[in-house]
Amino acid sequence: RQKLSQYNTIDDAAKLLRTKKNIMVITGAGISTSLGIPDFRSQGTGFYDKVRALGYGGGEDVFQIEEFDRDPSIFYSLAGDILPDLKRFSPTHAFLKLLQTKNRLQTNYTQNIDNLEELAGIDKSRLIQCHGSFATASCRKCKNQVPGRVIFDDIRAKRVAKCKRCIQVMSKQPSARPPLKKRKPKSTVLRKNDWEDSSDDDNGTAYDLPQPGIMKPDITFFGEKLPDTFFDRFMDEDRHAVDLVIVIGTSLKVAPVSEMCNHLPAEVPHIYISREPIEHVNFDIQLLGESDHVVFELCKRTGWGLRHEMLPEG
Ligand code: OAD
């Protein structure tokens, strides 16, 4: 995208908001930080700094699928920090809802896994959860899917969640232990019993008992494929009809979401709302600050009232 633009100011942004009808909004962790949910990469406060401070090396390893399969306890010991309480959404979520109410929200592509868009009332048909969410969880072994809340207690207790279906199936199967075999008494002296199983053999041979699968929230980990709906909706539909892009509260450091803007027509104006400026993607307008305050001011200048308990009366 070219950098030179006829749009520069917050009033230009307000004008675009008033006139455009197919607004694509791409969101990230920054729209939930005002609720106390940490983002990932902010220095000092981000989730990855916390993970590193606990001695887990590269923060992103927590979301590597190979790491999870190798040792799920690392994820389970940390995930409680990003588990939402699902009781409140932010003023920026209320802004998304307002766009929807005004019939201007084409699609909200969210990278967030907190599922708060749903709580704010964003229709499923207008929401693409690019990185999945905590709303459901699946067994890594038998693929059984359950509502996410089924494993919330385990996450809060930092306990690895095991698949109840696997456990049920295993309990119905005949024992996997090798059959007991009768041995000749070693002596005629009274002994505790003459029945021993092979695990008590002198050579101490161990054998594997079957294990239940581990439950994983249906969050897209690094190394996993994004949901098909992301590619289908974006490539086949939205990019041809979009007339304004607003990106809010994301560092745009994770592909493929970070590459979406490159696939959009150059003439479509792009607005960026976040704390820090961004350089690796060209935006027509960058509105810097707390996203809740920026969208409040933007709505005011657009002539729309944005209401939320955390905002002053508009
Ligand atoms: P990041 O933490 O990388 O970026 C959040 C951005 O929001 C930063 O630029 C912050 O400065 C900004 N920010 C934070 N609070 C804000 C506020 N109140 N108002 C305005 N801006 C604010 O988070 P994402 O870009 O969402 O993947 O991260 C993308 C993906 O990386 C995540 O989905 C996650 C992670 O690995 C998975 O969970 C699989």
Side-chain angles (χ1 to χ4, degrees), residues 97-135:
K97 177 68 193 304
L98 186 65
L99 289 180
Q100 175 178 282
T101 308
K102 294 199 175 284
N103 216 10
R104 283 152 202 266
L105 181 65
Q106 181 196 43
T107 306
N108 173 204
Y109 286 88
T110 183
Q111 297 165 92
N112 295 346
I113 49 184
D114 55 26
N115 211 29
L116 293 178
E117 300 81 6
E118 200 179 314
L119 189 71
I122 305 302
D123 285 351
K124 275 198 163 57
S125 64
R126 298 193 183 275
L127 181 66
I128 300 288
Q129 294 181 306
C130 310
H131 297 166
S133 85
F134 277 108

Side-chain angles (χ1 to χ4, degrees), residues 5 33 84 91 108 127 129 146 161 168 185 218 238 253 263 297-298:
S5 168
T33 53
N108 173 204
L127 181 66
Q129 294 181 306
V146 299
Q168 214 174 25
D218 292 330
D238 286 351
K253 293 219 168 113
H263 294 277
E297 185 60 30
L298 190 57

Side-chain angles (χ1 to χ4, degrees), residues 35-282:
L35 303 170
I37 303 171
D39 66 7
F40 293 93
R41 296 180 181 78
S42 282
Q43 271 194 355
T45 55
F47 181 63
Y48 290 152
D49 262 5
K50 177 161 184 199
V51 171
R52 276 187 284 267
L54 290 171
Y56 286 112
E60 287 178 1
D61 291 355
V62 182
F63 292 111
Q64 295 286 356
I65 194 64
E66 301 85 13
E67 282 297 306
F68 182 88
D69 286 340
R70 196 182 57 78
D71 183 2
S73 70
I74 300 175
F75 172 81
Y76 273 95
S77 64
L78 296 161
D81 279 9
I82 46 168
L83 190 67
D85 69 3
L86 293 178
K87 293 200 184 96
R88 287 192 320 155
F89 54 86
S90 75
T92 308
H93 289 100
F95 170 67
L96 301 176
K97 177 68 193 304
L98 186 65
L99 289 180
Q100 175 178 282
T101 308
K102 294 199 175 284
N103 216 10
R104 283 152 202 266
L105 181 65
Q106 181 196 43
T107 306
N108 173 204
Y109 286 88
T110 183
Q111 297 165 92
N112 295 346
I113 49 184
D114 55 26
N115 211 29
L116 293 178
E117 300 81 6
E118 200 179 314
L119 189 71
I122 305 302
D123 285 351
K124 275 198 163 57
S125 64
R126 298 193 183 275
L127 181 66
I128 300 288
Q129 294 181 306
C130 310
H131 297 166
S133 85
F134 277 108
T136 55
S138 301
C139 172
R140 292 292 292 155
K141 196 169 184 179
C142 75
K143 311 292 175 216
N144 184 39
Q145 193 180 56
V146 299
R149 65 186 133 71
V150 170
I151 65 164
F152 282 4
D153 281 350
D154 288 308
I155 293 178
R156 289 195 190 100
K158 303 183 190 293
R159 186 172 57 218
V160 175
K162 309 250 171 72
C163 173
K164 296 208 169 63
R165 183 163 171 262
C166 283
I167 293 172
Q168 214 174 25
V169 170
M170 281 162 46
S171 70
K172 285 188 187 142
Q173 279 173 349
S175 168
R177 288 166 77 84
L180 299 180
K181 55 186 181 201
K182 191 165 188 193
R183 293 182 177 169
K184 275 190 189 165
K186 284 180 184 154
S187 73
T188 52
V189 177
L190 189 68
R191 295 164 62 236
K192 214 167 158 199
N193 67 57
D194 286 340
W195 296 89
E196 291 176 351
D197 71 36
S198 56
S199 62
D200 290 331
D201 276 352
D202 290 342
N203 64 8
T205 316
Y207 54 88
D208 287 336
L209 286 173
Q211 295 290 327
I214 303 296
M215 297 303 293
K216 174 184 151 300
D218 292 330
I219 297 167
T220 312
F221 277 38
F222 292 104
E224 286 191 303
K225 203 170 155 277
L226 272 72
D228 286 340
T229 47
F230 167 76
F231 296 101
D232 295 347
R233 174 80 169 246
F234 180 68
M235 296 307 269
D236 299 343
E237 296 177 36
D238 286 351
R239 74 186 175 124
H240 305 295
V242 59
D243 58 11
L244 176 63
V245 180
I246 308 181
V247 177
I248 317 179
T250 168
S251 61
L252 288 181
K253 293 219 168 113
V254 175
V257 171
S258 58
E259 292 161 355
M260 289 171 75
C261 297
N262 298 336
H263 294 277
L264 295 172
E267 66 277 11
V268 173
H270 282 50
I271 300 173
Y272 184 66
I273 300 174
S274 203
R275 278 182 185 152
E276 310 280 331
I278 198 162
E279 281 170 13
H280 66 282
V281 180
N282 286 338

Side-chain angles (χ1 to χ4, degrees), residues 7-17 271 285-287 293-299 301-302:
Y7 307 108
N8 299 296
T9 65
I10 188 164
D11 285 319
D12 292 339
K15 196 166 154 202
L16 286 167
L17 217 52
I271 300 173
I285 307 173
Q286 297 208 29
L287 303 174
H293 301 166
V294 174
V295 295
F296 177 68
E297 185 60 30
L298 190 57
C299 285
R301 292 179 190 228
T302 308

